[in-house]
Every structure is written in C-alpha cells, then in structure tokens.
Amino acid sequence: MSVRPAWEVRENEDATRWFDVQLAFTDGAHVEALAVVAGGRVGVEDVRAQPALSLDDLAVLADWIEDSLAEACCAGAGTAPEAGGGQGRRARPAWPRGAEGRWLVAQEYRAAQQDGADPVLAVMCATGHSRRKCLRLIGQARDAGLLTPRRARR
C-alpha cells in the first residue's frame, strides 16, 4: 500500500487533505483511490479497481486505508504535515512560543519516546517546523530543565 498527498485546501484553522492511495495484492489485483481527510474523518471520493470490487469490499475500503492515512497525516503526533509540495510558503499549525511552547515540545518528545517512535519526527509533525528548527526547540526544552540532559556536563 502506498499513500501520497495529492493536495490540500485550508480555511482558517481547518484543512481538507486529499491523498492518492494505491493497494496492490499478491494475486495481481490492485485498487487506486482518492481519499479525503477532513475533520478527523476519512472519505473515499474515487475508486478504480482491477478486478472490480464487490459492494462488501467497497464498504470496507475506508477501513483498509484508514491506518495508512493516519500515518501519512502524522495523526499519532497530534497534527498532520503540510502538503505544499514546496510551492510558496507553507502554512504551519499555530504553536505557542516561550515557556508554553517548550513545555509542549517536551510533552510531544516524551510521548513519542514512550510509544517507541522517533521523538524528533513527532516534534516536527506537531510543530510543522524543519528538523533543524525542531532540534533547536528540543535543545531549548532541555536547557529549561523539561527534558533530561543529552550528555553529562563537565
């Protein structure tokens, strides 16, 4: 299964995202779908399958692709990544500055560690910032005493 962002429409703080989803089965069958994620719900707008899907299979298609869409949206980290394709300035989720922002970075970091996920990636998904900026935010949270020091200082 592969999931690729197709496009995104933002209105105020709400975003509607479309994804190209492709499923390939071992028997040679394949399904291509256009899925939409809005308001925490998954919808399927277009489906092409070879051979054709039965009504029962079509009814569970959203269940088949829901977990992969959640991963593509970084749903486990709090917010979804921006699907801008590098065109123009990307909108970022609102992220508080100062002590509150450092505290939230520390929370995301620790939650990802406990789940066995990459903590830097979790902070990237939550803040919408680049890896370099997130490493800087994590360092600030460490300096504020919200995370354990990386190395013992001499």
Side-chain angles (χ1 to χ4, degrees):
M1 176 179 294
S2 70
V3 178
R4 292 187 339 245
W7 66 88
E8 174 180 355
V9 175
R10 287 192 161 277
E11 184 177 336
N12 299 325
E13 293 298 316
D14 299 327
T16 302
R17 295 174 180 87
W18 284 265
F19 294 89
D20 289 322
V21 180
Q22 295 180 347
L23 292 97
F25 298 95
T26 56
D27 63 356
H30 65 275
V31 177
E32 295 175 2
L34 180 63
V36 62
V37 178
R41 295 180 181 212
V42 175
V44 179
E45 290 195 352
D46 185 34
V47 177
R48 292 185 184 147
Q50 187 63 29
L53 293 175
S54 69
L55 288 177
D56 293 334
D57 290 340
L58 190 58
V60 297
L61 180 63
D63 293 336
W64 288 350
I65 64 176
E66 187 173 20
D67 291 336
S68 297
L69 285 173
E71 288 177 19
C73 291
C74 291
T79 61
E82 303 305 324
Q87 300 170 350
R89 182 182 161 103
R90 288 189 258 172
R92 290 194 174 107
W95 192 260
R97 297 178 184 262
E100 184 181 359
R102 288 190 294 272
W103 184 81
L104 290 172
V105 165
Q107 295 290 35
E108 289 289 339
Y109 189 93
R110 283 195 296 268
Q113 276 184 325
Q114 290 173 353
D115 292 342
D118 181 4
V120 177
L121 183 61
V123 173
M124 288 172 59
C125 288
T127 62
H129 291 296
S130 68
R131 184 174 183 85
R132 179 177 286 178
K133 175 69 175 174
C134 287
L135 288 172
R136 188 176 308 134
L137 291 172
I138 292 167
Q140 291 171 356
R142 285 186 199 285
D143 292 343
L146 299 170
L147 293 171
T148 58
R150 188 169 172 93
R151 312 178 217 23
R153 298 191 181 186
R154 297 177 187 181

